[in-house]
């Protein structure tokens, strides 16, 4: 470790800031936020250091900056001169300010740009209202101590309160409700906490298409119950200690039948666990979430749905296909290609009408039936169609065709990866990125 990190209490204390330009203004801002009194000057005189606890040099003349550094260090006052490590006795980190939470990142001066990149990554992981949550916990500090004098008991309570319902409310900016929930949780702090199930969309497979909320909940989960469609890349971001249970396969065959999954979710929640039910794409699009929500509701278990990027949107994006278009598509339909009793039971008359885009999920195996149904209902066989595999991921590829030719072309092209079929005039407007 090159530098010792510490956080200074500057409230009401004087800081000398040498320089009056843009760099000085940038340095002044966080000092002001920390409550410092700023003594700003253009040129240096030693008397300026009287009563000062910290000195910063920015855009002043070279001789003044050197004099400042020397004089401050002679008096034992910490000094930083911007971009001049040799003149510094302390360095300033990249800061994330979610008051009262502050994160500071430093590369010890080795690569400040890298520190800023790290800061951006951490920023993306932290809910914007994390400071509100910390302030809430601070307000309850005394009350918590009084009710739970035992440290371990306090930890257990805070572990739950800071990741449970009061936290969710605080993070959603609902401060008053969060206060009430926090107080209620504290009053009930010796009983077992009730479990909760989050039905979370994992998106099309790339980790960076997860929502920040999905990422946060995965990081707090006791158990992750997931389908085969959820990629290893996404699962890697779940809490290390979280138990992982694979319950479903992509496509038609399910390794655990739906009633078994419903019962599993209810049981885990009744054990007091935070359950993340993770599904590929969006949980409410061909994800059997309706059944699970009903089972949770009947069992009286708290649950919440977190949307994800559904395959139709991810595939359209990968292939550059507009799902809607002023002249070519005024309606988008999400349809299933999954058969019931061997029959593709879709309303082909409605789907064959012009000015719409159809996205068919699980539709590869039934492409001939889709073609026959649509053409039989009057669709022009020359209507553009495409298959997109692994949409939204680095491995995306697309096969442009027409509804007349697509079934034959798909054989020998499809790799078995998750694939979506798009049909409609707007599909021809696709400009696949050169990589796919
Ligand atoms: N809830 C999911 C859909 C589950 S049904 C969602 O919203 O995306 C499973 C079908 O989704 C697959 O058979 C395939 O048609 C489609 N699918 C899922 N991920 C896909 C991807 N990355 N690329 C193409 N199709 C995908």
């Amino acid at each position: 470790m090159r530098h010792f990190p510490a956080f200074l209490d500057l409230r009401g204390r004087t800081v000398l800031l040498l320089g009056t330009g843009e760099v000085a203004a940038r340095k002044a801002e966080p000092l002001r936020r920390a409550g410092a009194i700023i003594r700003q000057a253009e040129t240096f005189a030693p008397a300026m250091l009287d009563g000062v606890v910290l000195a910063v040099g920015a855009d002043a003349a070279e001789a003044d900056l050197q004099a400042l550094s020397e004089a401050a260090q002679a008096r034992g006052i910490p000094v930083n001169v911007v971009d001049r490590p040799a003149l510094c006795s302390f360095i300033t980190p990249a800061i994330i300010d979610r008051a009262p939470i502050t994160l500071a990142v430093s590369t010890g001066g080795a690569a400040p740009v890298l520190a800023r990149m790290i800061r951006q990554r951490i920023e993306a992981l932290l809910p914007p209202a994390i400071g509100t949550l910390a302030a809430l916990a601070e307000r309850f500090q005394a009350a918590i101590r009084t009710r739970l004098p035992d440290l371990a008991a306090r930890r257990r309570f805070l572990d739950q309160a800071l990741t449970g319902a009061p936290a969710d409310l605080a993070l959603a900016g609902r401060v008053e409700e969060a206060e009430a929930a926090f107080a209620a949780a504290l009053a009930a702090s010796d009983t077992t906490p009730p479990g909760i199930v989050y039905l979370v969309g994992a998106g099309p497979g790339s980790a960076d298409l997860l929502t920040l909320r999905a990422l946060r909940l995965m990081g707090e989960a006791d158990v992750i119950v997931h389908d085969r469609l959820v990629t290893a890349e996404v699962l890697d971001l779940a809490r290390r200690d979280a138990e992982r249970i694979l319950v479903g396969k992509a496509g038609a065959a399910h390794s655990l039948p739906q009633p078994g999954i419903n019962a599993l979710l209810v049981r885990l929640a009744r054990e007091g666990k935070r359950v993340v039910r993770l599904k590929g794409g969006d949980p409410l699009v061909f994800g059997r979430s309706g059944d699970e929500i009903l089972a949770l509701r009947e069992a009286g278990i708290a649950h919440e749905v977190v949307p994800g990027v559904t395959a139709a949107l991810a595939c359209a994006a990968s292939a550059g296909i507009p799902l809607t278009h002023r002249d070519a598509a005024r309606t988008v339909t999400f349809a299933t290609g999954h058969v019931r009793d061997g029959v593709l039971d879709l309303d082909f008359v409605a789907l064959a009408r012009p000015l719409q885009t159809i996205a068919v999920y699980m539709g590869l195996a039934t492409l001939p039936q889709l073609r026959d149904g649509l053409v039989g209902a009057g669709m022009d066989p020359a209507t553009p169609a495409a298959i997109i595999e692994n949409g939204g991921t680095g491995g995306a590829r697309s096969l442009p065709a027409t509804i007349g030719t697509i079934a034959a072309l798909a054989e020998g092209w499809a790799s078995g990866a998750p694939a979506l079929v798009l049909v409609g005039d707007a599909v021809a407007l696709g400009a696949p990125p050169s990589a796919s």
Side-chain angles (χ1 to χ4, degrees):
M1 188 158 65
R2 279 252 283 277
H3 297 88
F4 176 74
F7 290 87
L8 296 182
D9 186 354
L10 292 180
R11 281 172 302 176
R13 312 213 179 187
T14 306
V15 174
L16 176 63
L17 178 58
L18 192 62
T20 50
E22 212 174 285
V23 182
R26 228 183 304 129
K27 286 281 145 185
E29 212 267 324
L31 290 168
R32 216 163 263 137
R33 259 188 284 149
I37 299 165
I38 296 173
R39 180 180 295 166
Q40 199 162 6
E42 213 169 330
T43 55
F44 178 68
M48 288 173 182
L49 285 171
D50 294 348
V52 157
V53 296
L54 201 74
V56 177
D59 32 20
E62 174 66 21
D64 286 288
L65 292 172
Q66 291 210 7
L68 167 74
S69 173
E70 248 169 63
Q73 294 195 60
R75 291 213 209 173
I77 298 169
V79 59
N80 175 277
V81 178
V82 176
D83 287 338
R84 301 292 305 277
L87 300 183
C88 293
S89 70
F90 76 94
I91 59 170
T92 52
I95 296 170
I96 300 170
D97 183 3
R98 300 274 168 89
I101 294 173
T102 313
L103 273 90
V105 180
S106 158
T107 56
V113 175
L114 188 58
R116 283 197 287 278
M117 276 165 51
I118 295 167
R119 179 189 59 191
Q120 274 168 9
R121 288 193 165 191
I122 298 174
E123 286 260 31
L125 291 177
L126 283 181
I130 192 85
T132 310
L133 179 59
L136 178 70
E138 190 179 29
R139 286 200 291 284
F140 276 90
Q141 230 166 37
I144 296 169
R145 256 171 211 285
T146 309
R147 178 170 170 87
L148 303 166
D150 176 61
L151 176 67
R154 239 174 8 243
R155 281 228 176 104
R156 190 165 14 119
F157 165 73
L158 279 170
D159 266 358
Q160 282 156 11
L162 294 179
T163 53
D168 290 343
L169 289 165
L171 294 178
R174 290 152 68 179
V175 180
E176 273 173 31
E177 288 163 86
E179 292 255 16
F182 205 97
L186 185 58
S189 54
D190 44 1
T191 63
T192 338
I196 184 163
V197 177
Y198 296 95
L199 297 136
V200 178
S206 286
D208 57 0
L209 283 177
L210 275 173
T211 63
L212 294 179
R213 191 181 302 176
L215 193 61
R216 173 169 66 80
L217 293 171
M218 285 167 64
E220 296 166 355
D222 295 314
V223 195
I224 309 263
V225 178
H226 66 95
D227 295 345
R228 182 98 48 199
L229 211 51
V230 177
T231 58
E233 186 183 336
V234 166
L235 281 173
D236 268 354
L237 297 172
R239 203 178 118 222
R240 288 263 164 272
D241 300 340
E243 187 189 347
R244 284 140 222 252
I245 305 176
L246 171 67
V247 290
K249 289 185 175 161
H254 291 272
S255 40
L256 183 59
Q258 192 59 45
I261 299 176
N262 301 347
L264 175 70
L265 296 178
V266 169
R267 178 171 66 72
L268 291 169
R270 288 221 167 111
E271 287 169 11
K273 301 212 164 102
R274 275 175 88 79
V275 183
V276 167
R277 171 74 175 104
L278 200 56
K279 293 162 186 269
D282 182 274
L284 300 180
V285 178
F286 302 125
R288 300 292 299 260
S289 286
D291 299 16
E292 292 170 17
I293 290 170
L294 195 64
L296 293 167
R297 203 179 286 153
E298 279 173 0
I301 285 161
H303 53 278
E304 202 181 296
V305 181
V306 179
V309 177
T310 190
L313 307 187
C315 290
S318 284
I321 292 171
L323 291 173
T324 64
H325 188 273
R326 263 177 76 86
D327 305 318
R330 294 185 195 148
T331 311
V332 186
T333 303
F334 293 174
T336 173
H338 193 59
V339 290
R340 205 169 251 206
D341 302 326
V343 181
L344 183 57
D345 187 17
L346 293 173
D347 183 353
F348 289 114
V349 174
L351 292 175
R353 291 199 184 105
L355 293 175
Q356 60 173 318
T357 305
I358 313 163
V360 188
Y361 290 68
M362 300 169 280
L364 270 204
T366 49
L367 273 175
Q369 291 188 54
L370 182 73
R371 174 199 58 209
D372 295 349
L374 290 174
V375 174
M379 183 182 272
D380 182 349
T383 303
I387 303 174
I388 296 99
E389 268 191 3
N390 285 323
T393 76
R397 33 192 305 257
S398 57
L399 174 70
T402 65
I403 191 61
T405 60
I406 197 160
L409 290 175
E411 287 179 42
W413 181 85
S415 74
L420 186 97
V421 182
L422 290 176
V423 183
D425 285 335
V427 175
L429 303 168
S434 50
S436 66

